[in-house]
Amino acid sequence: EDIRLFFPSDLRAEQRHHAGQLICDIEARIRLAGMASALSDLRHTLRMKSYLNRWKIANVTGQRPNTRARGVQSAVDHRIIEAKHLYRRHYEAYRSLKGDGEWQIRFRELTDGDCISLGSIKAQEAVEDRAAIQQGAYARCASQLLPAWRPC
């Protein structure tokens, strides 16, 4: 991880033809698999964060246990950040190799707003629903999940 490797995606488009089409295709397949793996890991870690928060609220009381639980939550937050960065690196590399296309229907550009736990989404929807009910304009029939939660 300390040695920089030069892949075809690191080259400009006009320089890439020197690398050969086969090498570019191999890297594209690796990047596509990397995006799928990073997105799967991100979803898993976001679910873990959601359940960990619920467990902490239900079971942890006192300063010492709360400090330990917060340490576990920090480790999960760090894994989320790593998965986001890995997905973004693979996304940009694949995009430089293949350009924009139909693959972006399945793999979208990831924003920080997409990376929140499902419990946070439901809590935000509950607040929005309460406000809509109070205003008398409740017309929400199905929740809209963020791209990180949409199934592939």
Side-chain angles (χ1 to χ4, degrees), residues 2 9 15 20 35 71 102 114 122 124 128 136 144 146 150:
D2 295 334
S9 61
Q15 294 175 327
M35 276 193 296
E102 289 186 18
D114 296 334
K122 289 185 179 184
Q124 181 62 32
E128 291 171 359
Q144 296 290 323
L146 297 172
R150 288 188 187 120

Side-chain angles (χ1 to χ4, degrees), residues 40 42-52 117 149:
S40 175
L42 179 61
R43 287 179 179 145
H44 170 75
T45 311
L46 287 170
R47 278 191 299 272
M48 187 185 337
K49 179 179 179 177
S50 172
Y51 286 110
L52 183 61
S117 64
W149 285 100

Side-chain angles (χ1 to χ4, degrees), residues 4 6-28 31 90-100 103:
R4 180 169 166 101
F6 292 96
F7 289 103
S9 61
D10 295 332
L11 303 173
R12 291 191 309 267
E14 59 270 3
Q15 294 175 327
R16 205 171 290 138
H17 74 277
H18 295 296
Q21 188 60 35
L22 179 64
I23 294 175
C24 291
D25 290 342
I26 290 171
E27 184 190 358
R31 296 297 185 170
H90 285 301
Y91 180 89
E92 289 304 321
Y94 192 81
R95 188 175 184 186
S96 74
L97 288 169
K98 296 293 184 181
D100 295 335
W103 63 272

Side-chain angles (χ1 to χ4, degrees), residues 67-125:
T67 302
R68 288 184 184 193
R70 186 62 208 138
V72 174
Q73 285 177 322
S74 294
V76 170
D77 290 341
H78 184 69
R79 282 185 59 188
I80 290 171
I81 291 169
E82 286 177 351
K84 281 193 307 189
H85 290 308
L86 183 61
Y87 178 84
R88 288 175 179 157
R89 280 196 308 265
H90 285 301
Y91 180 89
E92 289 304 321
Y94 192 81
R95 188 175 184 186
S96 74
L97 288 169
K98 296 293 184 181
D100 295 335
E102 289 186 18
W103 63 272
Q104 289 177 315
I105 294 170
R106 181 174 178 199
F107 297 105
R108 300 178 184 174
E109 190 166 0
L110 192 65
T111 63
D112 287 334
D114 296 334
C115 301
I116 58 174
S117 64
L118 190 56
S120 299
I121 294 170
K122 289 185 179 184
Q124 181 62 32
E125 285 181 350

Side-chain angles (χ1 to χ4, degrees), residues 122-140:
K122 289 185 179 184
Q124 181 62 32
E125 285 181 350
V127 169
E128 291 171 359
D129 288 346
R130 262 187 251 122
I133 289 170
Q134 290 172 352
Q135 294 174 356
Y138 185 72
R140 184 185 214 122

